[in-house]
Amino acid sequence: MARIVLKGISKSYGDTQAVEDLNLAIEDGEFVVLLGPTGAGKTTTLRLIAGLEPPDSGQIAIGGRDVAGEAPAERDVAFVFQQYSLYPHLSVYENLAFPLKSPARRLGKEEVDRRVREVARMVRIDHKLENRSTRLSGGEMQRVAIGRALVRRPSIYLMDEPLSSLDAKLRAELRLELKRIQNELGSTLLYVTHDQVEAMTMADRIGILSHGRLVQIGTPREIYADP
Ligand code: ADP
Ligand code: ADP
């Protein structure tokens, strides 16, 4: 069963049709990149799946369940945005532990500690656990931001240009790491970018968005094959 199914999703803001009749099925464990220029409707699509706002029409199912009316926290998704949004007064350790601290989770201290350390190793920030997040480089901050999404272990990750604020070298490095981590976890990942290289190097499938419409979808090979 597909992990995420969008059926005829539309969303407009005033006169702007941000997303129009979007149909898309993302399989379990798939890495799908939504590629398109600014204003194509990529972020809106992520926000609709996350439940940050409702679509005007259409249906969204996650894990076979229609999620209409479900709050973001009920949807088994985690997001990573372009801005790191770390808590500056907290250490790396505390930033990673934060999502696990809600009373509803009832995780014991040892379990929190185990998960934080495991994720810190995964994103290769385990040598800086005691640092304040303001003392980190951009690449390190982005690792912590990604780690903070991983630590909750949702089955779906929604990432909105998470590497775009980094320089080219770091971007290339983190691209590979993200791909490695996703393979390791077997999670489903929907990743938004306007960077074609990112799409080609990471995606199982690429969906091209233009003016709110999905104009093409396929493997990188299918999309970029010589005619
Ligand atoms: P992308 O992520 O591909 O750059 P967006 O999904 O952010 O595209 O935006 C799609 C269109 O919807 C754009 O024209 C944008 O200006 C518009 N839009 C997005 N969010 C809002 C909003 N909250 N209010 C008004 N217009 C919006
Ligand atoms: P207490 O409040 O009882 O002192 P903590 O929550 O501070 O307990 O710590 C419990 C465990 O979590 C510690 O043994 C440590 O391994 C880990 N821990 C907590 N905060 C940090 C931190 N900032 N850096 C590294 N490890 C931490």
Side-chain angles (χ1 to χ4, degrees):
M1 190 204 326
R3 195 77 215 159
I4 307 172
V5 179
L6 308 181
K7 275 192 193 152
I9 295 295
S10 293
K11 178 78 183 178
S12 56
Y13 300 100
D15 292 340
T16 306
Q17 186 80 42
V19 171
E20 192 171 357
D21 192 25
L22 184 64
N23 293 286
L24 177 63
I26 299 173
E27 302 300 324
D28 221 352
E30 209 181 7
F31 195 135
V32 173
V33 173
L34 287 183
L35 179 68
T38 301
K42 306 183 297 295
T43 298
T44 302
T45 303
L46 286 195
R47 293 177 58 82
L48 296 174
I49 296 170
L52 296 172
E53 53 196 326
D56 298 335
S57 56
Q59 287 173 313
I60 300 174
I62 296 179
R65 195 178 73 245
D66 189 324
V67 293
E70 282 187 12
E74 298 171 83
R75 295 189 179 200
D76 194 26
V77 301
F79 4 93
V80 181
F81 296 111
Q82 182 174 348
Q83 319 81 329
Y84 322 115
S85 59
L86 302 181
Y87 300 106
H89 55 292
L90 298 182
S91 67
V92 167
Y93 186 100
E94 292 158 336
N95 265 285
L96 291 173
F98 195 85
L100 300 176
K101 291 274 167 91
S102 89
R105 289 188 184 270
R106 294 205 196 89
L107 290 177
K109 261 184 191 171
E110 282 173 15
E111 176 64 8
V112 170
D113 189 56
R114 207 178 59 70
R115 285 210 204 174
V116 165
R117 289 172 193 280
E118 178 184 279
V119 161
R121 270 193 300 276
M122 227 181 252
V123 297
R124 307 210 160 116
I125 198 72
D126 45 324
H127 56 300
K128 299 233 165 147
L129 282 174
E130 303 297 338
N131 289 44
R132 299 224 156 234
S133 55
T134 44
R135 308 286 292 273
L136 303 174
S137 70
E140 289 168 341
M141 285 191 204
Q142 202 50 280
R143 283 164 198 271
V144 178
I146 291 168
R148 216 172 48 178
L150 298 177
V151 81
R152 282 175 43 210
R153 298 189 186 157
S155 48
I156 298 169
Y157 296 95
L158 304 173
M159 299 196 179
D160 194 350
E161 310 225 17
L163 309 182
S164 64
S165 58
L166 306 176
D167 65 49
K169 185 162 166 286
L170 263 175
R171 218 159 48 227
E173 184 185 321
L174 281 187
R175 254 192 333 250
L176 294 178
E177 293 208 11
L178 203 51
K179 185 72 185 161
R180 173 183 60 78
I181 290 168
Q182 186 257 348
N183 264 323
E184 196 174 320
L185 296 175
S187 38
T188 305
L189 209 159
L190 184 56
Y191 187 104
V192 155
T193 185
H194 59 264
D195 181 338
Q196 189 174 313
V197 176
E198 276 192 1
M200 283 169 60
T201 50
M202 292 196 293
D204 294 322
R205 281 192 302 156
I206 300 172
I208 312 256
L209 275 183
S210 173
H211 302 291
R213 288 187 160 269
L214 187 66
V215 293
Q216 211 182 347
I217 180 141
T219 63
R221 188 184 285 252
E222 285 164 354
I223 296 215
Y224 293 107
D226 291 332

